C-alpha cells in the first residue's frame, strides 16, 4: 500500500511558502502522493494553483486534489484547460484528480452556483474534460498523460458509483475509517464489474494526523473549526478519529492495508513543515 501526505490547507497556515516547503519535503522523504483539499468559504488554497507550485519544486511525487469541488468550476472549458496545463507542468502520470460534488452550501452561495443542480453540472464538466483530454481535442494544450489525469471520485451515493464506473479509476474516501471503506468498497467493485471495466478500481483513503507534543491541540484547533458547520458532535467525532501518535499512525497503515486499500494519505493539521519529517520517521521512510 502506498503512503501519501496531505497539505494542511484547512489548518490556519499563514505563509504560502510553507506549503511549498511541505511539497519539497514530501518528495524528499519518499511519500507516494501529495494531496490538497478544496473549500471556497475557508482559507484552503485553490488546489490547482497549489499543485502547480508543488509541481515546480518536485519531479516524482504524485499530485492529487483530495477532493476538488467540481461543480464550482462553472466554465468547463477553462477548467479543462487548467487541468491539461497543470498536467503538462507536472509531467506524465503525476497529476491525479479527486473530484466530488460538495456538501457545503455556503461554497455555492459564494459562487452564485445553484446547489440543487450541482450533480448535473458535475457530469457536464466530466464530459468536457474528457473531450479536452482526447487526442487533438478542441482545447489546448493537450495533457502530458495520455487520456488525461486519472480521476478518483469522492462520496458514497449512486451517482458516485456511476461516475467511478463511467469515468474513473477509483474511489477516494475523505477522513475515513476502516469501516467506511469496508462498507462501500463492495458496491464500487460491483458497479465496476457491471460496467464491464477490466482490472479493479483503485481505493484511496485519507485520514487526519498531527504529531509531536502539540499534536492534540493542532487537530482540535484545525478540525474543530473546519467541521463546525456540521455541529459540535460531528466536529468532536472528527477530532476523535485523528491520528496523533506514531503508534496510531502505524496501526492505521496496518489496518487499511489489510482491507485492500491501495493508498493511505495522512492529511496534515499543523502547518509546520517539520510534520512531514515526523510522519516519515514514524513510518520508517
Amino acid at each position: 500500500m502506498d503512503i501519501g501526505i496531505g497539505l494542511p490547507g484547512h489548518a490556519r497556515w499563514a505563509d504560502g511558502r510553507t506549503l511549498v516547503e511541505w511539497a519539497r519535503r514530501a518528495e524528499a522523504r519518499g511519500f507516494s502522493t501529495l494531496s490538497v483539499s478544496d473549500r471556497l468559504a475557508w482559507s484552503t488554497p485553490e488546489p490547482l494553483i497549489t499543485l502547480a507550485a508543488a509541481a515546480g519544486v518536485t519531479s516524482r511525487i504524485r499530485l492529487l486534489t483530495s477532493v476538488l469541488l467540481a461543480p464550482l468550476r462553472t466554465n468547463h472549458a477553462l477548467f479543462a484547460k487548467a487541468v491539461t496545463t497543470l498536467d503538462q507542468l507536472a509531467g506524465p502520470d503525476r497529476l491525479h484528480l479527486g473530484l466530488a460534488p460538495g456538501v457545503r452550501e455556503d461554497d455555492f452561495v459564494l459562487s452564485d452556483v445553484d446547489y440543487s443542480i450541482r450533480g448535473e453540472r458535475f457530469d457536464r464538466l466530466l464530459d468536457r474534460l474528457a473531450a479536452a483530454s482526447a487526442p487533438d481535442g478542441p482545447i489546448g494544450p493537450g495533457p502530458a498523460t495520455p487520456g488525461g489525469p486519472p480521476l478518483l471520485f469522492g462520496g458514497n451515493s449512486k451517482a458516485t458509483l456511476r461516475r467511478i464506473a463511467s469515468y474513473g479509476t477509483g474511489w477516494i474516501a475523505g477522513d475515513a475509517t476502516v469501516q467506511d471503506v469496508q462498507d462501500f468498497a463492495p458496491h464500487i467493485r460491483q458497479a465496476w464489474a457491471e460496467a464491464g471495466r477490466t482490472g479493479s478500481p483503485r481505493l484511496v483513503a485519507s485520514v487526519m494526523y498531527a504529531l509531536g507534543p502539540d499534536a492534540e491541540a493542532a487537530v482540535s484547533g484545525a478540525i474543530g473549526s473546519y467541521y463546525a458547520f456540521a455541529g459540535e458532535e460531528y466536529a468532536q467525532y472528527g477530532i476523535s478519529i485523528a491520528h496523533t501518535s506514531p503508534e496510531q499512525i502505524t496501526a492505521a497503515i496496518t489496518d487499511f492495508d489489510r482491507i485492500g486499500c491501495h493508498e493511505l494519505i495522512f492529511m496534515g493539521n499543523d502547518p509546520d513543515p517539520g510534520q512531514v519529517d515526523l510522519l516519515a520517521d514514524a513510518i520508517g521512510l
Side-chain angles (χ1 to χ4, degrees):
M1 184 176 69
D2 292 337
I3 305 296
I5 190 168
L7 293 171
H10 63 282
R12 295 297 187 182
W13 56 275
D15 181 356
R17 299 304 299 175
T18 296
L19 304 182
V20 175
E21 179 60 20
W22 269 69
R24 289 195 188 98
R25 294 197 190 192
E27 175 158 284
R29 292 305 301 262
F31 288 99
S32 58
T33 293
L34 178 76
S35 74
V36 60
S37 56
D38 187 23
R39 279 289 317 284
L40 185 61
W42 199 257
S43 58
T44 313
E46 200 290 317
L48 298 183
I49 292 175
T50 303
L51 291 183
V57 297
T58 61
S59 61
R60 176 199 56 81
I61 195 168
R62 279 193 298 264
L63 306 172
L64 172 69
T65 58
S66 176
V67 288
L68 185 144
L69 306 180
L72 296 182
R73 278 68 184 184
T74 55
N75 187 325
H76 300 160
L78 186 59
F79 173 72
K81 188 178 186 72
V83 168
T84 57
T85 299
L86 177 53
D87 194 58
Q88 283 285 349
L89 294 173
D93 303 317
R94 289 186 67 201
L95 178 62
H96 291 222
L97 295 180
L99 305 169
V103 296
R104 289 285 303 267
E105 290 195 46
D106 54 351
D107 288 328
F108 290 81
V109 170
L110 285 173
S111 298
D112 293 323
V113 174
D114 188 342
Y115 180 80
S116 68
I117 60 169
R118 66 194 188 284
E120 178 184 339
R121 290 182 180 272
F122 194 177
D123 290 334
R124 291 205 302 266
L125 178 145
L126 293 172
D127 287 337
R128 177 53 68 91
L129 183 58
S133 299
D136 301 319
I139 300 169
T145 304
L151 306 182
L152 299 166
F153 292 96
N156 55 9
S157 66
K158 291 182 179 179
T160 297
L161 294 171
R162 173 178 54 79
R163 292 181 185 117
I164 291 171
S166 300
Y167 299 96
T169 57
W171 181 54
I172 183 164
D175 208 2
T177 66
V178 167
Q179 192 63 53
D180 293 333
V181 177
Q182 285 183 310
D183 288 345
F184 199 58
H187 300 289
I188 299 169
R189 295 187 180 105
Q190 180 180 354
W192 188 270
E194 289 176 353
R197 299 287 299 272
T198 59
S200 59
R202 184 170 176 81
L203 302 179
V204 178
S206 68
V207 298
M208 297 289 196
Y209 95 95
L211 291 170
D214 300 321
E216 292 188 5
V219 299
S220 179
I223 297 173
S225 56
Y226 191 62
Y227 286 156
F229 76 94
E232 180 66 19
E233 182 176 352
Y234 185 79
Q236 288 301 316
Y237 170 73
I239 293 168
S240 73
I241 62 172
H243 299 72
T244 57
S245 72
E247 293 77 17
Q248 290 177 328
I249 296 289
T250 55
I253 292 171
T254 298
D255 292 342
F256 280 94
D257 188 31
R258 173 178 52 82
I259 63 168
C261 274
H262 297 95
E263 184 167 36
L264 179 62
I265 298 173
F266 289 93
M267 300 292 296
N269 286 270
D270 180 342
D272 181 1
Q275 288 287 314
V276 179
D277 298 310
L278 289 174
L279 180 60
D281 291 343
I283 63 180
L285 287 179

